[in-house]
Amino acid sequence: MKTKAIVTGHSRGLGEAIAAALLDKQVDVLGLSRRASTHLAPSDGAKLTQVALDLGDVGALTDRSLSDRIEAFCAGADRVILVNNAGMVKPIGPVGTGGAADIAKAVTLNVTGPLVLADLFQAVAAPVKDRRLLHISSGAGRRGMAGWSVYCATKAALDNHARAIKEDAVPGLRVASLAPGVIDTDMQADIRGSSVEQFPAIDQFKAMKADGVLASPTEAGAKIAAYLLSDAFGAETLTDLRTL
């Protein structure tokens, strides 16, 4: 069975780890990110294609060339996967401090991008019998946290998008929105770089780093890749990596 996967935000952190684990499993990967990964490499039996794309740019998302590229990549596959991983935690701070430009940028990257790509993916990959869509969500999308009103709202949007797609009951399309837990990535550095006034729970996150309890991107990526390829994928629409 030939499997191909599209991974956004593949150039670093969790996205890079997911892409690496899929390549190790002989899955062709199309990486979409503003910059190329300097660590990823094709493996025996798997191809890596990297495309420079600003997923926070509405013009880039709506350009016909993106649809054409995804359609061409999916051709010849028995199973295709889309991993909407790219995202940002900023702006951090109480309501009234985010700023219009930064809020719009976060919503475009965290919500508009994944929804547009999901729609393109289903539209052009419909001939492939086994299609799998994964949103990388967050526990923050399932509860409110002071200082994270924008981040919480955008991740909640992905969760409900997955729920609605499940209700669509499109033949051949499986969907899941997964909270990966707290992983040692650049996003965590952004969080620790905020102030207590911006993010009252900052000491908790600093302590997790100091105590060495943050999950490894490599381990999390491998577990997510295994889940993507398993028969269990999509059995639960909202899930958490720590319970898989």
Side-chain angles (χ1 to χ4, degrees):
M1 174 180 286
K2 183 60 179 176
T3 301
K4 298 183 179 183
I6 302 161
V7 181
T8 71
H10 76 290
S11 62
R12 59 180 183 172
L14 181 60
E16 188 174 63
I18 294 170
L22 288 169
L23 287 167
D24 285 345
K25 293 180 178 293
Q26 286 72 58
V27 174
D28 288 357
V29 171
L30 171 63
L32 304 178
S33 186
R34 286 183 299 168
R35 59 183 65 86
S37 167
T38 58
H39 301 108
L40 289 175
S43 63
D44 292 338
K47 296 179 181 178
L48 169 65
T49 304
Q50 302 192 69
V51 174
L53 178 69
D54 184 354
L55 293 159
D57 179 357
V58 173
L61 291 169
T62 55
D63 192 294
R64 176 59 186 268
S65 63
L66 177 59
S67 175
D68 290 345
R69 187 177 286 274
I70 291 174
E71 183 174 16
F73 175 75
C74 292
D78 302 298
R79 176 169 56 194
V80 288
I81 298 167
L82 170 62
V83 181
N84 278 319
N85 163 76
M88 61 189 297
V89 69
K90 293 180 177 179
I92 301 173
V95 65
T97 66
D102 287 344
I103 292 172
K105 181 179 179 181
V107 172
T108 302
L109 179 61
N110 291 3
V111 182
T112 305
L115 268 59
V116 168
L117 287 173
D119 193 69
L120 286 177
F121 175 73
Q122 169 56 28
V124 304
V128 182
K129 291 183 179 180
D130 186 348
R131 303 178 306 284
R132 303 184 179 199
L133 167 62
L134 178 66
H135 289 323
I136 299 298
S137 183
S138 170
R142 299 165 193 178
R143 62 190 179 104
M145 295 188 69
W148 276 8
S149 58
V150 175
Y151 186 64
C152 289
T154 58
K155 291 303 183 180
L158 294 187
D159 284 352
N160 219 31
H161 184 247
R163 287 190 184 104
I165 290 176
K166 186 67 174 285
E167 293 299 315
D168 285 337
V170 177
L173 178 63
R174 304 189 199 187
V175 61
S177 190
L178 179 144
V182 185
I183 302 172
D184 197 5
T185 63
D186 289 347
M187 184 179 288
Q188 286 300 310
D190 288 340
I191 293 168
R192 294 191 301 273
S194 61
S195 67
V196 69
E197 290 78 19
Q198 292 173 305
F199 184 51
I202 187 172
D203 287 343
Q204 174 187 344
F205 282 75
K206 287 182 175 179
M208 285 190 285
K209 174 66 172 178
D211 295 341
V213 298
L214 296 178
S216 157
T218 300
E219 292 177 358
K223 196 170 183 179
I224 290 171
Y227 171 59
L228 283 164
L229 300 173
S230 73
D231 291 338
F233 181 81
E236 294 184 17
T237 307
L238 301 191
T239 188
D240 190 303
L241 187 61
R242 291 163 291 192
T243 64
L244 292 178

